Amino acid sequence: MTEADWDALREVAHEAMTHAYAPYSGYPVGVAARVDDGRTVSGCNVENASYGLGLCAECGLVSELQRTGGGRLTHFTCVDGKGDILVPCGRCRQLLYEHGGPDLLLETPAGILPLSEMLPQAFGPDHLTK
């Protein structure tokens, strides 16, 4: 899949955001991604009173990816509570790299970018098999 309906993907992310559990930060986040088989997966952040144990929305998305059959992520978007586009944190970029690779397309405030530009010289599974 080379093209994506970014508006539709953003709507799925916004809907996921409405399920976020963010009582501590007040900053709900939703994400959505297309999978190489055409599925769409989504996730939302889930905070915890022990702040360091909170889960970013991307964690939920990858769990949903695996729960529904696996595959490779091809297109990804992330929104905040106002629907504004966000970029994933460093930890989540690494998680996305594991499940989408350097060619995963991310919607960012600067436009559509491959993950390789957001996480240059990434460490990944191939490094562990050499």
Side-chain angles (χ1 to χ4, degrees), residues 32-37 39-42 58 61-62 64-66 70-76 92 95-105 115:
R34 291 292 305 230
V35 182
D36 58 2
D37 64 6
R39 281 177 296 136
T40 299
V41 291
S42 63
E58 291 84 351
L61 179 134
V62 168
E64 181 72 3
L65 172 69
Q66 292 304 118
R72 300 296 287 168
L73 301 173
T74 60
H75 300 78
F76 172 87
C92 290
L95 188 62
L96 293 172
Y97 186 84
E98 182 90 9
H99 297 279
D103 297 327
L104 171 61
L105 296 176
L115 184 54

Side-chain angles (χ1 to χ4, degrees), residues 10-77:
R10 205 173 313 107
E11 285 180 28
V12 172
H14 189 271
E15 193 281 331
M17 178 276 305
T18 67
H19 299 282
Y21 178 72
Y24 307 106
S25 71
Y27 198 77
V29 175
V31 296
R34 291 292 305 230
V35 182
D36 58 2
D37 64 6
R39 281 177 296 136
T40 299
V41 291
S42 63
C44 61
N45 59 322
V46 177
E47 295 180 349
N48 186 286
S50 175
Y51 294 137
L53 296 179
L55 298 174
C56 294
E58 291 84 351
C59 295
L61 179 134
V62 168
S63 285
E64 181 72 3
L65 172 69
Q66 292 304 118
R67 188 192 68 77
T68 61
R72 300 296 287 168
L73 301 173
T74 60
H75 300 78
F76 172 87
T77 193

